[in-house]
Every structure is written in structure tokens, then in C-alpha cells.
Amino acid sequence: MPKVTEEYIVNKKKRITDAAYELCLEKTVSTVTMQDIIDRTGLSQGGIYRFYKDIDGILSDMIRQMRERESIKEQIDEILGQKDVLSPLEITNRLFAMLADFMERELMGIEKIDFELSVLAMNRPDRIEKIMGGIPEVGNMEYLTMRTMEYFKEQAALGRIHANMSAEELLAFISSAYGGIQMTCIVNNCYHHDRNPLTALYQPRILLKMLAQTVNDLIGVKEGS
């Protein structure tokens, strides 16, 4: 038999994870099956199981590749790296503008998959443990939470922000609000309802700008401060 090269293995696995990504955009993450992957790739059952023992292994590899492809960690570092020259208000506004760019770009891609994984976590925590347990690095939102936690604590100690809550409570609120905006925008995109008077407002940039304004109020900073 011809020797199987590393390049061959990488290409085969990418063919499988690419198919998984396409299917996750067409269906919900929780309903994608090994048979779907077999049908989409045209590979035999043995050809799939040679590389992955189950669907959760494929999803794990797919998510790792997604994170590598669409990382915003450098942008987060760049914005927070200007903390000594920009005001806290400007830092907040730039972070949320960056998130709006990302959500608009990936609303029905990575954001949809991320939201559906959170739903799966509620219904099947055992599956999420298998899927996420094999991914060593933190994702975009986890990284943003860690960096902004450090930032809020530092700025509070310097007296540049004046929040009436702990950094942990503030980040818990932001994370929950972001998740709500994510869900609202995804659902609105899938089931646009012209009779809903708020439909036009269910857009990432509009809602995240409102969230930025709320966060600035919570940390006690205003325009010109």
C-alpha cells in the first residue's frame, strides 16, 4: 500500500470538518450526524471513522479550525494596548464596534454555531464536555472576558472608572447581554417579521452600540471624560 503522508491526513480531515461546517450552517449543530457527513463528503463510513470516532470529535476539530480562522484576539490586544492614551469611554466604544464588525460578518456563521453550542450545553452537557474538552486554547469571547476583567480592575484601581459593582459582576452582565443580542439577531435574521415594530432595531451594530452606552454608564464615564 502507498504510504499515507501527513498532508494526505490533513486534507482528508479538512474535507470532513469543512463538510461539518457547511452542515452546521444549514441545520442546527445538535442535529448534524455522522451519516450527514458521509453523504456530504462522499466518503465511506470507514473513510470517516478512520479519522474520527464520532460526530463530536469532528465538531471539536471544526471549532478549533474556526477559532484559528476567525480570531479577534489581536484586535482585542491592540485596543486594550491603547489604554494609556485612550479614555475608558473610547476603549469601550472601540471594543463594541469591533464586536459589531465580527457579529455582522459571522452572524449566520460562527455566531450561529456558537449560539447553538450554548443551547446544546443546556440540553446535553455531556456532549459539550466531549466537544470542547479537546480544544486547548480559549475562544474569542473567553479571551475578551479575561482581558477586560484585568482592564476593569486596573482602571478602577487607578480611579479612571467608577463602577458600583465588581468587575466580575460587570462582565457577567456584559456576557449575558451579548448572548441575548446574539440570539435576537440570529432569530431575526432567520424569521424576519415585518409586523414587529422593533425588527429594524434587531441589528448587531445598533444593539451593541446601545450596550456600549450602557456599559459606559455602569462604569461611570461620559463623553469628554
Side-chain angles (χ1 to χ4, degrees):
M1 292 181 63
K3 183 179 179 180
V4 175
T5 65
E6 183 65 28
E7 182 181 10
Y8 173 86
I9 295 172
V10 169
N11 289 338
K12 282 290 185 182
K13 293 181 77 171
K14 188 174 187 305
R15 181 176 172 185
I16 294 168
T17 54
D18 284 351
Y21 182 77
E22 293 171 3
L23 288 161
C24 285
L25 301 187
E26 297 169 13
K27 307 174 64 173
T28 58
V29 172
S30 62
T31 60
V32 176
T33 66
M34 289 293 272
Q35 188 59 53
D36 290 330
I37 302 292
I38 292 168
D39 294 341
R40 179 58 59 95
T41 61
L43 296 172
S44 66
Q45 187 176 46
I48 300 287
Y49 282 100
R50 179 180 183 183
F51 301 104
Y52 297 102
K53 66 178 182 180
D54 57 26
I55 186 64
D56 290 340
I58 296 174
L59 293 176
S60 181
D61 227 8
M62 179 196 77
I63 293 166
R64 179 183 57 77
Q65 292 171 16
M66 279 169 37
R67 288 183 173 184
E68 291 174 354
R69 185 176 73 249
E70 289 292 339
S71 175
I72 57 173
K73 295 175 185 177
E74 287 187 9
Q75 292 173 270
I76 294 168
D77 288 341
E78 181 182 350
I79 293 170
L80 292 178
Q82 301 178 73
K83 62 186 178 182
D84 295 329
V85 295
L86 295 178
S87 69
L89 181 141
E90 290 173 306
I91 292 287
T92 300
N93 290 344
R94 292 192 185 199
L95 284 173
F96 280 98
M98 176 202 64
L99 287 175
D101 289 340
F102 180 75
M103 189 179 284
E104 285 183 341
R105 186 170 69 249
E106 290 292 336
L107 183 63
M108 299 310 295
I110 291 174
E111 291 284 81
K112 172 186 178 292
I113 292 172
D114 182 59
F115 170 68
E116 290 174 357
L117 286 169
S118 67
V119 175
L120 183 61
M122 291 186 287
N123 297 317
R124 291 290 306 276
D126 56 317
R127 285 196 63 191
I128 286 296
E129 181 63 30
K130 285 178 60 181
I131 294 168
M132 306 306 291
I135 304 174
E137 65 178 52
V138 298
N140 287 324
M141 293 304 110
E142 295 102 317
Y143 186 76
L144 178 60
T145 298
M146 290 189 299
R147 289 300 320 277
T148 50
M149 180 89 71
E150 297 168 358
Y151 168 76
F152 283 139
K153 288 182 176 180
E154 178 190 69
Q155 296 298 299
L158 293 172
R160 298 188 74 199
I161 66 173
H162 310 280
N164 293 320
M165 62 186 71
S166 68
E168 289 81 3
E169 290 171 324
L170 183 58
L171 265 297
F173 166 75
I174 294 171
S175 177
S176 300
Y178 183 88
I181 290 171
Q182 181 187 57
M183 177 189 70
T184 298
C185 291
I186 290 170
V187 171
N188 185 62
N189 189 80
C190 292
Y191 305 105
H192 185 82
H193 199 323
D194 291 331
R195 287 179 294 177
N196 186 336
L198 301 180
T199 292
L201 297 176
Y202 291 156
Q203 304 299 325
R205 193 163 302 278
I206 294 173
L207 295 179
L208 286 170
K209 184 178 180 180
M210 292 178 187
L211 181 55
Q213 293 170 343
T214 301
V215 171
N216 282 326
D217 286 342
L218 289 173
I219 62 177
V221 296
K222 298 179 180 179
E223 198 71 47
S225 61

